[in-house]
Amino acid sequence: MPQHTRPGPICAHCDGFPQVAIATGQTTLDGQRHTITADCPACRGTGRAIPARAYARAER
Ligand SMILES: [Zn+2]
């Protein structure tokens, strides 16, 4: 059996990037762009997809 080390199923909604920075159009006092971060609603910022088995187990 081949063993591939993977962190787990990646969220298809955000493709593994659960947090994105959104520029507000304003600048901070330092002169940098003011950004806010938004979490992926599908995986709630974890970046991992919830396996279907979890739902099946929850059903019973
Ligand atoms: Zn996601």
Side-chain angles (χ1 to χ4, degrees):
M1 250 181 96
Q3 289 184 341
H4 294 284
T5 305
R6 287 194 173 187
I10 298 176
C11 175
H13 190 76
C14 60
D15 200 21
F17 297 94
Q19 291 183 330
V20 292
I22 302 172
T24 59
Q26 295 177 337
T27 54
T28 63
L29 296 176
D30 297 334
Q32 295 178 336
R33 288 182 183 179
H34 183 251
T35 57
I36 57 174
T37 55
D39 293 339
C40 172
C43 61
R44 295 182 181 179
T46 59
R48 293 187 180 184
I50 301 173
R53 290 181 182 177
Y55 291 113
R57 289 178 183 174
E59 292 284 334
R60 294 184 179 180

mmCIF file of all heavy atoms in Angstrom:
data_model
loop_
_atom_site.group_PDB
_atom_site.id
_atom_site.type_symbol
_atom_site.label_atom_id
_atom_site.label_comp_id
_atom_site.label_asym_id
_atom_site.label_seq_id
_atom_site.Cartn_x
_atom_site.Cartn_y
_atom_site.Cartn_z
ATOM 1 N N MET A 1 0.844 -1.206 0.000
ATOM 2 C CA MET A 1 0.000 0.000 0.000
ATOM 3 C C MET A 1 0.870 1.243 0.000
ATOM 4 O O MET A 1 1.691 1.423 0.896
ATOM 5 C CB MET A 1 -0.851 0.002 1.281
ATOM 6 C CG MET A 1 -2.313 -0.242 0.977
ATOM 7 S SD MET A 1 -3.297 -0.208 2.477
ATOM 8 C CE MET A 1 -3.850 1.462 2.414
ATOM 9 N N PRO A 2 0.722 2.053 -0.967
ATOM 10 C CA PRO A 2 1.487 3.308 -0.974
ATOM 11 C C PRO A 2 0.991 4.258 0.099
ATOM 12 O O PRO A 2 -0.217 4.370 0.321
ATOM 13 C CB PRO A 2 1.236 3.871 -2.377
ATOM 14 C CG PRO A 2 -0.075 3.271 -2.789
ATOM 15 C CD PRO A 2 -0.144 1.923 -2.129
ATOM 16 N N GLN A 3 1.915 4.880 0.732
ATOM 17 C CA GLN A 3 1.520 5.826 1.775
ATOM 18 C C GLN A 3 1.904 7.241 1.378
ATOM 19 O O GLN A 3 3.076 7.569 1.211
ATOM 20 C CB GLN A 3 2.198 5.467 3.098
ATOM 21 C CG GLN A 3 1.632 4.190 3.706
ATOM 22 C CD GLN A 3 2.254 3.916 5.053
ATOM 23 O OE1 GLN A 3 3.304 4.442 5.376
ATOM 24 N NE2 GLN A 3 1.615 3.067 5.826
ATOM 25 N N HIS A 4 0.898 8.029 1.198
ATOM 26 C CA HIS A 4 1.143 9.438 0.878
ATOM 27 C C HIS A 4 0.771 10.281 2.095
ATOM 28 O O HIS A 4 -0.317 10.169 2.616
ATOM 29 C CB HIS A 4 0.308 9.879 -0.317
ATOM 30 C CG HIS A 4 0.706 9.182 -1.580
ATOM 31 N ND1 HIS A 4 1.845 9.505 -2.288
ATOM 32 C CD2 HIS A 4 0.128 8.180 -2.255
ATOM 33 C CE1 HIS A 4 1.931 8.712 -3.339
ATOM 34 N NE2 HIS A 4 0.905 7.900 -3.349
ATOM 35 N N THR A 5 1.705 11.073 2.483
ATOM 36 C CA THR A 5 1.446 11.910 3.648
ATOM 37 C C THR A 5 0.678 13.160 3.225
ATOM 38 O O THR A 5 1.226 14.045 2.590
ATOM 39 C CB THR A 5 2.762 12.333 4.323
ATOM 40 O OG1 THR A 5 3.503 11.168 4.613
ATOM 41 C CG2 THR A 5 2.490 13.105 5.593
ATOM 42 N N ARG A 6 -0.551 13.140 3.578
ATOM 43 C CA ARG A 6 -1.382 14.310 3.279
ATOM 44 C C ARG A 6 -2.030 14.837 4.543
ATOM 45 O O ARG A 6 -2.386 14.049 5.413
ATOM 46 C CB ARG A 6 -2.473 13.955 2.263
ATOM 47 C CG ARG A 6 -1.911 13.756 0.871
ATOM 48 C CD ARG A 6 -3.020 13.736 -0.156
ATOM 49 N NE ARG A 6 -2.493 13.718 -1.509
ATOM 50 C CZ ARG A 6 -3.254 13.827 -2.584
ATOM 51 N NH1 ARG A 6 -4.552 13.952 -2.461
ATOM 52 N NH2 ARG A 6 -2.731 13.821 -3.779
ATOM 53 N N PRO A 7 -2.187 16.128 4.617
ATOM 54 C CA PRO A 7 -2.792 16.707 5.826
ATOM 55 C C PRO A 7 -4.256 16.353 5.970
ATOM 56 O O PRO A 7 -4.822 16.436 7.029
ATOM 57 C CB PRO A 7 -2.605 18.217 5.628
ATOM 58 C CG PRO A 7 -2.464 18.386 4.149
ATOM 59 C CD PRO A 7 -1.805 17.130 3.648
ATOM 60 N N GLY A 8 -4.874 15.926 4.875
ATOM 61 C CA GLY A 8 -6.293 15.601 4.939
ATOM 62 C C GLY A 8 -7.023 16.194 3.761
ATOM 63 O O GLY A 8 -6.412 16.814 2.900
ATOM 64 N N PRO A 9 -8.313 15.981 3.704
ATOM 65 C CA PRO A 9 -9.105 16.521 2.599
ATOM 66 C C PRO A 9 -9.129 18.040 2.632
ATOM 67 O O PRO A 9 -9.396 18.638 3.662
ATOM 68 C CB PRO A 9 -10.493 15.939 2.836
ATOM 69 C CG PRO A 9 -10.535 15.607 4.296
ATOM 70 C CD PRO A 9 -9.125 15.244 4.672
ATOM 71 N N ILE A 10 -8.823 18.608 1.503
ATOM 72 C CA ILE A 10 -8.807 20.068 1.427
ATOM 73 C C ILE A 10 -10.180 20.582 1.040
ATOM 74 O O ILE A 10 -10.851 20.014 0.182
ATOM 75 C CB ILE A 10 -7.753 20.532 0.395
ATOM 76 C CG1 ILE A 10 -6.370 20.087 0.848
ATOM 77 C CG2 ILE A 10 -7.802 22.041 0.222
ATOM 78 C CD1 ILE A 10 -5.289 20.408 -0.150
ATOM 79 N N CYS A 11 -10.564 21.632 1.669
ATOM 80 C CA CYS A 11 -11.869 22.228 1.407
ATOM 81 C C CYS A 11 -11.961 22.666 -0.057
ATOM 82 O O CYS A 11 -11.109 23.393 -0.556
ATOM 83 C CB CYS A 11 -12.085 23.427 2.328
ATOM 84 S SG CYS A 11 -13.613 24.313 1.988
ATOM 85 N N ALA A 12 -12.986 22.177 -0.739
ATOM 86 C CA ALA A 12 -13.140 22.499 -2.155
ATOM 87 C C ALA A 12 -13.645 23.923 -2.349
ATOM 88 O O ALA A 12 -13.534 24.488 -3.432
ATOM 89 C CB ALA A 12 -14.107 21.526 -2.809
ATOM 90 N N HIS A 13 -14.186 24.479 -1.308
ATOM 91 C CA HIS A 13 -14.761 25.820 -1.419
ATOM 92 C C HIS A 13 -13.660 26.879 -1.499
ATOM 93 O O HIS A 13 -13.732 27.808 -2.282
ATOM 94 C CB HIS A 13 -15.688 26.087 -0.235
ATOM 95 C CG HIS A 13 -16.487 27.336 -0.386
ATOM 96 N ND1 HIS A 13 -17.572 27.414 -1.221
ATOM 97 C CD2 HIS A 13 -16.351 28.558 0.169
ATOM 98 C CE1 HIS A 13 -18.076 28.643 -1.158
ATOM 99 N NE2 HIS A 13 -17.345 29.351 -0.325
ATOM 100 N N CYS A 14 -12.635 26.703 -0.679
ATOM 101 C CA CYS A 14 -11.575 27.710 -0.638
ATOM 102 C C CYS A 14 -10.260 27.133 -1.137
ATOM 103 O O CYS A 14 -9.260 27.819 -1.189
ATOM 104 C CB CYS A 14 -11.406 28.231 0.784
ATOM 105 S SG CYS A 14 -10.975 26.944 1.961
ATOM 106 N N ASP A 15 -10.265 25.851 -1.504
ATOM 107 C CA ASP A 15 -9.084 25.195 -2.059
ATOM 108 C C ASP A 15 -7.902 25.254 -1.105
ATOM 109 O O ASP A 15 -6.761 25.370 -1.505
ATOM 110 C CB ASP A 15 -8.718 25.835 -3.400
ATOM 111 C CG ASP A 15 -7.837 24.905 -4.231
ATOM 112 O OD1 ASP A 15 -7.848 23.688 -3.974
ATOM 113 O OD2 ASP A 15 -7.137 25.390 -5.126
ATOM 114 N N GLY A 16 -8.179 25.171 0.150
ATOM 115 C CA GLY A 16 -7.104 25.128 1.135
ATOM 116 C C GLY A 16 -6.634 26.479 1.624
ATOM 117 O O GLY A 16 -5.686 26.565 2.384
ATOM 118 N N PHE A 17 -7.302 27.522 1.169
ATOM 119 C CA PHE A 17 -6.952 28.863 1.646
ATOM 120 C C PHE A 17 -8.172 29.479 2.326
ATOM 121 O O PHE A 17 -8.898 30.264 1.718
ATOM 122 C CB PHE A 17 -6.478 29.744 0.495
ATOM 123 C CG PHE A 17 -5.217 29.233 -0.140
ATOM 124 C CD1 PHE A 17 -5.270 28.417 -1.257
ATOM 125 C CD2 PHE A 17 -3.975 29.554 0.391
ATOM 126 C CE1 PHE A 17 -4.111 27.928 -1.845
ATOM 127 C CE2 PHE A 17 -2.818 29.073 -0.190
ATOM 128 C CZ PHE A 17 -2.878 28.267 -1.303
ATOM 129 N N PRO A 18 -8.377 29.113 3.563
ATOM 130 C CA PRO A 18 -9.614 29.489 4.248
ATOM 131 C C PRO A 18 -9.702 30.961 4.620
ATOM 132 O O PRO A 18 -10.784 31.472 4.848
ATOM 133 C CB PRO A 18 -9.604 28.622 5.505
ATOM 134 C CG PRO A 18 -8.162 28.376 5.764
ATOM 135 C CD PRO A 18 -7.500 28.311 4.419
ATOM 136 N N GLN A 19 -8.555 31.599 4.693
ATOM 137 C CA GLN A 19 -8.589 33.000 5.090
ATOM 138 C C GLN A 19 -8.068 33.879 3.969
ATOM 139 O O GLN A 19 -7.006 33.631 3.409
ATOM 140 C CB GLN A 19 -7.744 33.228 6.340
ATOM 141 C CG GLN A 19 -8.378 32.588 7.565
ATOM 142 C CD GLN A 19 -7.575 32.873 8.817
ATOM 143 O OE1 GLN A 19 -6.367 33.040 8.751
ATOM 144 N NE2 GLN A 19 -8.253 32.928 9.942
ATOM 145 N N VAL A 20 -8.832 34.876 3.635
ATOM 146 C CA VAL A 20 -8.427 35.796 2.583
ATOM 147 C C VAL A 20 -8.415 37.209 3.143
ATOM 148 O O VAL A 20 -9.222 37.563 3.996
ATOM 149 C CB VAL A 20 -9.374 35.725 1.380
ATOM 150 C CG1 VAL A 20 -9.244 34.381 0.679
ATOM 151 C CG2 VAL A 20 -10.802 35.962 1.798
ATOM 152 N N ALA A 21 -7.482 38.002 2.636
ATOM 153 C CA ALA A 21 -7.388 39.386 3.071
ATOM 154 C C ALA A 21 -8.138 40.277 2.098
ATOM 155 O O ALA A 21 -7.947 40.197 0.891
ATOM 156 C CB ALA A 21 -5.927 39.808 3.160
ATOM 157 N N ILE A 22 -8.985 41.097 2.643
ATOM 158 C CA ILE A 22 -9.764 41.999 1.801
ATOM 159 C C ILE A 22 -9.357 43.433 2.108
ATOM 160 O O ILE A 22 -9.381 43.863 3.263
ATOM 161 C CB ILE A 22 -11.272 41.813 2.065
ATOM 162 C CG1 ILE A 22 -11.677 40.361 1.794
ATOM 163 C CG2 ILE A 22 -12.084 42.768 1.192
ATOM 164 C CD1 ILE A 22 -13.104 40.063 2.209
ATOM 165 N N ALA A 23 -8.966 44.140 1.062
ATOM 166 C CA ALA A 23 -8.565 45.531 1.241
ATOM 167 C C ALA A 23 -9.806 46.393 1.421
ATOM 168 O O ALA A 23 -10.766 46.290 0.663
ATOM 169 C CB ALA A 23 -7.753 45.996 0.040
ATOM 170 N N THR A 24 -9.762 47.224 2.427
ATOM 171 C CA THR A 24 -10.913 48.077 2.708
ATOM 172 C C THR A 24 -10.846 49.381 1.935
ATOM 173 O O THR A 24 -11.802 50.130 1.899
ATOM 174 C CB THR A 24 -10.980 48.388 4.214
ATOM 175 O OG1 THR A 24 -9.772 49.048 4.592
ATOM 176 C CG2 THR A 24 -11.144 47.113 5.013
ATOM 177 N N GLY A 25 -9.700 49.632 1.309
ATOM 178 C CA GLY A 25 -9.558 50.890 0.561
ATOM 179 C C GLY A 25 -8.999 51.998 1.425
ATOM 180 O O GLY A 25 -8.677 53.070 0.931
ATOM 181 N N GLN A 26 -8.863 51.718 2.710
ATOM 182 C CA GLN A 26 -8.300 52.717 3.609
ATOM 183 C C GLN A 26 -6.850 52.377 3.920
ATOM 184 O O GLN A 26 -6.430 51.244 3.729
ATOM 185 C CB GLN A 26 -9.101 52.762 4.917
ATOM 186 C CG GLN A 26 -10.525 53.229 4.700
ATOM 187 C CD GLN A 26 -11.316 53.203 6.000
ATOM 188 O OE1 GLN A 26 -10.963 52.478 6.914
ATOM 189 N NE2 GLN A 26 -12.364 53.993 6.065
ATOM 190 N N THR A 27 -6.131 53.325 4.395
ATOM 191 C CA THR A 27 -4.745 53.078 4.771
ATOM 192 C C THR A 27 -4.560 53.310 6.268
ATOM 193 O O THR A 27 -5.242 54.147 6.857
ATOM 194 C CB THR A 27 -3.794 54.012 3.993
ATOM 195 O OG1 THR A 27 -4.215 55.352 4.193
ATOM 196 C CG2 THR A 27 -3.808 53.672 2.519
ATOM 197 N N THR A 28 -3.662 52.552 6.810
ATOM 198 C CA THR A 28 -3.395 52.700 8.233
ATOM 199 C C THR A 28 -2.494 53.895 8.459
ATOM 200 O O THR A 28 -2.031 54.544 7.519
ATOM 201 C CB THR A 28 -2.715 51.431 8.776
ATOM 202 O OG1 THR A 28 -1.460 51.281 8.116
ATOM 203 C CG2 THR A 28 -3.566 50.214 8.538
ATOM 204 N N LEU A 29 -2.206 54.165 9.723
ATOM 205 C CA LEU A 29 -1.346 55.293 10.049
ATOM 206 C C LEU A 29 0.069 55.050 9.545
ATOM 207 O O LEU A 29 0.838 55.993 9.351
ATOM 208 C CB LEU A 29 -1.326 55.515 11.569
ATOM 209 C CG LEU A 29 -2.691 55.921 12.164
ATOM 210 C CD1 LEU A 29 -2.587 56.008 13.671
ATOM 211 C CD2 LEU A 29 -3.161 57.245 11.576
ATOM 212 N N ASP A 30 0.401 53.791 9.338
ATOM 213 C CA ASP A 30 1.730 53.448 8.837
ATOM 214 C C ASP A 30 1.836 53.616 7.332
ATOM 215 O O ASP A 30 2.902 53.461 6.747
ATOM 216 C CB ASP A 30 2.080 52.003 9.200
ATOM 217 C CG ASP A 30 2.151 51.825 10.710
ATOM 218 O OD1 ASP A 30 2.415 52.822 11.399
ATOM 219 O OD2 ASP A 30 1.935 50.709 11.174
ATOM 220 N N GLY A 31 0.717 53.866 6.700
ATOM 221 C CA GLY A 31 0.731 54.037 5.257
ATOM 222 C C GLY A 31 0.464 52.746 4.503
ATOM 223 O O GLY A 31 0.500 52.710 3.284
ATOM 224 N N GLN A 32 0.185 51.679 5.262
ATOM 225 C CA GLN A 32 -0.091 50.406 4.613
ATOM 226 C C GLN A 32 -1.580 50.274 4.344
ATOM 227 O O GLN A 32 -2.397 50.941 4.966
ATOM 228 C CB GLN A 32 0.371 49.253 5.522
ATOM 229 C CG GLN A 32 1.877 49.256 5.725
ATOM 230 C CD GLN A 32 2.297 48.136 6.675
ATOM 231 O OE1 GLN A 32 1.502 47.681 7.488
ATOM 232 N NE2 GLN A 32 3.534 47.696 6.545
ATOM 233 N N ARG A 33 -1.868 49.388 3.413
ATOM 234 C CA ARG A 33 -3.274 49.146 3.109
ATOM 235 C C ARG A 33 -3.963 48.453 4.279
ATOM 236 O O ARG A 33 -3.465 47.467 4.804
ATOM 237 C CB ARG A 33 -3.397 48.266 1.860
ATOM 238 C CG ARG A 33 -3.039 48.995 0.594
ATOM 239 C CD ARG A 33 -3.240 48.088 -0.580
ATOM 240 N NE ARG A 33 -2.841 48.742 -1.839
ATOM 241 C CZ ARG A 33 -2.902 48.151 -3.023
ATOM 242 N NH1 ARG A 33 -3.303 46.906 -3.105
ATOM 243 N NH2 ARG A 33 -2.552 48.799 -4.101
ATOM 244 N N HIS A 34 -5.081 48.965 4.649
ATOM 245 C CA HIS A 34 -5.837 48.345 5.734
ATOM 246 C C HIS A 34 -6.644 47.195 5.174
ATOM 247 O O HIS A 34 -7.433 47.365 4.257
ATOM 248 C CB HIS A 34 -6.758 49.365 6.389
ATOM 249 C CG HIS A 34 -7.511 48.811 7.549
ATOM 250 N ND1 HIS A 34 -8.859 48.558 7.517
ATOM 251 C CD2 HIS A 34 -7.080 48.438 8.791
ATOM 252 C CE1 HIS A 34 -9.234 48.062 8.690
ATOM 253 N NE2 HIS A 34 -8.179 47.979 9.479
ATOM 254 N N THR A 35 -6.408 46.005 5.719
ATOM 255 C CA THR A 35 -7.104 44.814 5.220
ATOM 256 C C THR A 35 -7.820 44.115 6.357
ATOM 257 O O THR A 35 -7.423 44.200 7.526
ATOM 258 C CB THR A 35 -6.123 43.823 4.578
ATOM 259 O OG1 THR A 35 -5.126 43.462 5.532
ATOM 260 C CG2 THR A 35 -5.463 44.418 3.354
ATOM 261 N N ILE A 36 -8.867 43.427 5.999
ATOM 262 C CA ILE A 36 -9.565 42.589 6.966
ATOM 263 C C ILE A 36 -9.539 41.154 6.460
ATOM 264 O O ILE A 36 -9.465 40.917 5.255
ATOM 265 C CB ILE A 36 -11.016 43.042 7.178
ATOM 266 C CG1 ILE A 36 -11.752 43.049 5.842
ATOM 267 C CG2 ILE A 36 -11.066 44.411 7.827
ATOM 268 C CD1 ILE A 36 -13.229 43.356 5.976
ATOM 269 N N THR A 37 -9.587 40.215 7.367
ATOM 270 C CA THR A 37 -9.545 38.817 6.963
ATOM 271 C C THR A 37 -10.941 38.215 7.064
ATOM 272 O O THR A 37 -11.697 38.514 7.980
ATOM 273 C CB THR A 37 -8.590 38.015 7.859
ATOM 274 O OG1 THR A 37 -8.982 38.187 9.215
ATOM 275 C CG2 THR A 37 -7.169 38.482 7.660
ATOM 276 N N ALA A 38 -11.232 37.360 6.079
ATOM 277 C CA ALA A 38 -12.518 36.681 6.078
ATOM 278 C C ALA A 38 -12.287 35.182 6.057
ATOM 279 O O ALA A 38 -11.458 34.685 5.307
ATOM 280 C CB ALA A 38 -13.330 37.109 4.870
ATOM 281 N N ASP A 39 -13.018 34.480 6.894
ATOM 282 C CA ASP A 39 -12.887 33.020 6.951
ATOM 283 C C ASP A 39 -13.842 32.362 5.963
ATOM 284 O O ASP A 39 -14.933 32.859 5.708
ATOM 285 C CB ASP A 39 -13.199 32.520 8.356
ATOM 286 C CG ASP A 39 -12.160 32.976 9.354
ATOM 287 O OD1 ASP A 39 -11.050 33.316 8.920
ATOM 288 O OD2 ASP A 39 -12.456 33.007 10.544
ATOM 289 N N CYS A 40 -13.406 31.238 5.424
ATOM 290 C CA CYS A 40 -14.253 30.479 4.512
ATOM 291 C C CYS A 40 -15.481 29.961 5.266
ATOM 292 O O CYS A 40 -15.341 29.351 6.320
ATOM 293 C CB CYS A 40 -13.457 29.313 3.932
ATOM 294 S SG CYS A 40 -14.463 28.183 2.966
ATOM 295 N N PRO A 41 -16.661 30.219 4.741
ATOM 296 C CA PRO A 41 -17.878 29.778 5.432
ATOM 297 C C PRO A 41 -18.076 28.273 5.376
ATOM 298 O O PRO A 41 -18.778 27.702 6.219
ATOM 299 C CB PRO A 41 -18.998 30.508 4.680
ATOM 300 C CG PRO A 41 -18.434 30.750 3.321
ATOM 301 C CD PRO A 41 -16.945 30.948 3.508
ATOM 302 N N ALA A 42 -17.462 27.620 4.394
ATOM 303 C CA ALA A 42 -17.676 26.182 4.232
ATOM 304 C C ALA A 42 -16.927 25.384 5.292
ATOM 305 O O ALA A 42 -17.449 24.439 5.868
ATOM 306 C CB ALA A 42 -17.259 25.746 2.842
ATOM 307 N N CYS A 43 -15.676 25.756 5.530
ATOM 308 C CA CYS A 43 -14.866 25.004 6.487
ATOM 309 C C CYS A 43 -14.597 25.817 7.752
ATOM 310 O O CYS A 43 -13.900 25.365 8.639
ATOM 311 C CB CYS A 43 -13.549 24.604 5.832
ATOM 312 S SG CYS A 43 -12.551 26.003 5.298
ATOM 313 N N ARG A 44 -15.156 27.003 7.796
ATOM 314 C CA ARG A 44 -15.016 27.874 8.969
ATOM 315 C C ARG A 44 -13.563 28.197 9.273
ATOM 316 O O ARG A 44 -13.139 28.173 10.436
ATOM 317 C CB ARG A 44 -15.686 27.225 10.183
ATOM 318 C CG ARG A 44 -17.187 27.106 9.996
ATOM 319 C CD ARG A 44 -17.833 26.517 11.212
ATOM 320 N NE ARG A 44 -19.275 26.364 11.039
ATOM 321 C CZ ARG A 44 -20.074 25.848 11.960
ATOM 322 N NH1 ARG A 44 -19.583 25.427 13.093
ATOM 323 N NH2 ARG A 44 -21.361 25.735 11.729
ATOM 324 N N GLY A 45 -12.797 28.408 8.222
ATOM 325 C CA GLY A 45 -11.431 28.855 8.428
ATOM 326 C C GLY A 45 -10.437 27.754 8.712
ATOM 327 O O GLY A 45 -9.286 28.035 9.018
ATOM 328 N N THR A 46 -10.863 26.511 8.608
ATOM 329 C CA THR A 46 -9.927 25.433 8.893
ATOM 330 C C THR A 46 -9.188 24.982 7.628
ATOM 331 O O THR A 46 -8.095 24.456 7.696
ATOM 332 C CB THR A 46 -10.665 24.217 9.483
ATOM 333 O OG1 THR A 46 -11.643 23.769 8.542
ATOM 334 C CG2 THR A 46 -11.344 24.596 10.776
ATOM 335 N N GLY A 47 -9.810 25.175 6.452
ATOM 336 C CA GLY A 47 -9.173 24.786 5.201
ATOM 337 C C GLY A 47 -9.321 23.309 4.890
ATOM 338 O O GLY A 47 -8.814 22.833 3.884
ATOM 339 N N ARG A 48 -9.994 22.598 5.735
ATOM 340 C CA ARG A 48 -10.174 21.157 5.512
ATOM 341 C C ARG A 48 -11.646 20.832 5.300
ATOM 342 O O ARG A 48 -12.512 21.372 5.977
ATOM 343 C CB ARG A 48 -9.663 20.371 6.721
ATOM 344 C CG ARG A 48 -8.159 20.494 6.872
ATOM 345 C CD ARG A 48 -7.676 19.564 7.957
ATOM 346 N NE ARG A 48 -6.227 19.656 8.123
ATOM 347 C CZ ARG A 48 -5.553 18.892 8.962
ATOM 348 N NH1 ARG A 48 -6.198 18.017 9.708
ATOM 349 N NH2 ARG A 48 -4.255 19.007 9.060
ATOM 350 N N ALA A 49 -11.859 19.928 4.381
ATOM 351 C CA ALA A 49 -13.226 19.504 4.112
ATOM 352 C C ALA A 49 -13.669 18.492 5.151
ATOM 353 O O ALA A 49 -12.878 17.686 5.626
ATOM 354 C CB ALA A 49 -13.322 18.904 2.719
ATOM 355 N N ILE A 50 -14.909 18.565 5.486
ATOM 356 C CA ILE A 50 -15.445 17.608 6.451
ATOM 357 C C ILE A 50 -15.777 16.317 5.714
ATOM 358 O O ILE A 50 -16.546 16.331 4.762
ATOM 359 C CB ILE A 50 -16.707 18.167 7.120
ATOM 360 C CG1 ILE A 50 -16.377 19.471 7.834
ATOM 361 C CG2 ILE A 50 -17.296 17.148 8.080
ATOM 362 C CD1 ILE A 50 -17.614 20.173 8.387
ATOM 363 N N PRO A 51 -15.155 15.199 6.102
ATOM 364 C CA PRO A 51 -15.384 13.925 5.408
ATOM 365 C C PRO A 51 -16.829 13.488 5.504
ATOM 366 O O PRO A 51 -17.504 13.742 6.494
ATOM 367 C CB PRO A 51 -14.461 12.944 6.134
ATOM 368 C CG PRO A 51 -14.151 13.589 7.443
ATOM 369 C CD PRO A 51 -14.227 15.063 7.212
ATOM 370 N N ALA A 52 -17.284 12.841 4.426
ATOM 371 C CA ALA A 52 -18.683 12.423 4.371
ATOM 372 C C ALA A 52 -18.979 11.387 5.443
ATOM 373 O O ALA A 52 -20.112 11.220 5.865
ATOM 374 C CB ALA A 52 -18.995 11.858 2.994
ATOM 375 N N ARG A 53 -17.947 10.669 5.871
ATOM 376 C CA ARG A 53 -18.159 9.657 6.900
ATOM 377 C C ARG A 53 -18.676 10.279 8.185
ATOM 378 O O ARG A 53 -19.449 9.686 8.909
ATOM 379 C CB ARG A 53 -16.847 8.940 7.185
ATOM 380 C CG ARG A 53 -16.404 8.042 6.044
ATOM 381 C CD ARG A 53 -15.115 7.344 6.398
ATOM 382 N NE ARG A 53 -14.634 6.502 5.319
ATOM 383 C CZ ARG A 53 -13.498 5.833 5.372
ATOM 384 N NH1 ARG A 53 -12.740 5.929 6.453
ATOM 385 N NH2 ARG A 53 -13.114 5.089 4.363
ATOM 386 N N ALA A 54 -18.212 11.479 8.453
ATOM 387 C CA ALA A 54 -18.629 12.144 9.682
ATOM 388 C C ALA A 54 -20.141 12.350 9.685
ATOM 389 O O ALA A 54 -20.800 12.203 10.708
ATOM 390 C CB ALA A 54 -17.913 13.477 9.827
ATOM 391 N N TYR A 55 -20.665 12.679 8.510
ATOM 392 C CA TYR A 55 -22.114 12.889 8.426
ATOM 393 C C TYR A 55 -22.837 11.556 8.591
ATOM 394 O O TYR A 55 -23.865 11.478 9.247
ATOM 395 C CB TYR A 55 -22.472 13.503 7.078
ATOM 396 C CG TYR A 55 -22.004 14.911 6.927
ATOM 397 C CD1 TYR A 55 -21.017 15.251 6.023
ATOM 398 C CD2 TYR A 55 -22.574 15.922 7.714
ATOM 399 C CE1 TYR A 55 -20.593 16.556 5.885
ATOM 400 C CE2 TYR A 55 -22.146 17.229 7.603
ATOM 401 C CZ TYR A 55 -21.157 17.536 6.670
ATOM 402 O OH TYR A 55 -20.730 18.832 6.544
ATOM 403 N N ALA A 56 -22.287 10.499 7.986
ATOM 404 C CA ALA A 56 -22.935 9.195 8.063
ATOM 405 C C ALA A 56 -22.979 8.707 9.505
ATOM 406 O O ALA A 56 -23.971 8.147 9.958
ATOM 407 C CB ALA A 56 -22.199 8.189 7.180
ATOM 408 N N ARG A 57 -21.899 8.937 10.222
ATOM 409 C CA ARG A 57 -21.857 8.513 11.618
ATOM 410 C C ARG A 57 -22.843 9.311 12.467
ATOM 411 O O ARG A 57 -23.419 8.810 13.400
ATOM 412 C CB ARG A 57 -20.440 8.672 12.157
ATOM 413 C CG ARG A 57 -19.488 7.663 11.570
ATOM 414 C CD ARG A 57 -18.091 7.890 12.101
ATOM 415 N NE ARG A 57 -17.140 6.962 11.488
ATOM 416 C CZ ARG A 57 -15.837 7.023 11.694
ATOM 417 N NH1 ARG A 57 -15.333 7.969 12.455
ATOM 418 N NH2 ARG A 57 -15.029 6.171 11.109
ATOM 419 N N ALA A 58 -22.975 10.578 12.094
ATOM 420 C CA ALA A 58 -23.863 11.434 12.871
ATOM 421 C C ALA A 58 -25.318 11.042 12.664
ATOM 422 O O ALA A 58 -26.165 11.274 13.520
ATOM 423 C CB ALA A 58 -23.654 12.900 12.469
ATOM 424 N N GLU A 59 -25.574 10.424 11.514
ATOM 425 C CA GLU A 59 -26.959 10.043 11.225
ATOM 426 C C GLU A 59 -27.431 8.944 12.190
ATOM 427 O O GLU A 59 -28.568 8.908 12.598
ATOM 428 C CB GLU A 59 -27.072 9.508 9.784
ATOM 429 C CG GLU A 59 -26.836 10.585 8.732
ATOM 430 C CD GLU A 59 -28.052 11.494 8.597
ATOM 431 O OE1 GLU A 59 -29.155 11.032 8.896
ATOM 432 O OE2 GLU A 59 -27.878 12.644 8.168
ATOM 433 N N ARG A 60 -26.504 8.069 12.499
ATOM 434 C CA ARG A 60 -26.899 6.960 13.359
ATOM 435 C C ARG A 60 -26.746 7.291 14.845
ATOM 436 O O ARG A 60 -25.750 7.805 15.240
ATOM 437 C CB ARG A 60 -26.093 5.711 13.022
ATOM 438 C CG ARG A 60 -26.428 5.229 11.633
ATOM 439 C CD ARG A 60 -25.696 3.927 11.324
ATOM 440 N NE ARG A 60 -26.048 3.442 9.978
ATOM 441 C CZ ARG A 60 -25.534 2.319 9.472
ATOM 442 N NH1 ARG A 60 -24.696 1.598 10.146
ATOM 443 N NH2 ARG A 60 -25.885 1.951 8.259
HETATM 444 ZN ZN ZN B 1 -13.034 26.359 2.998
#
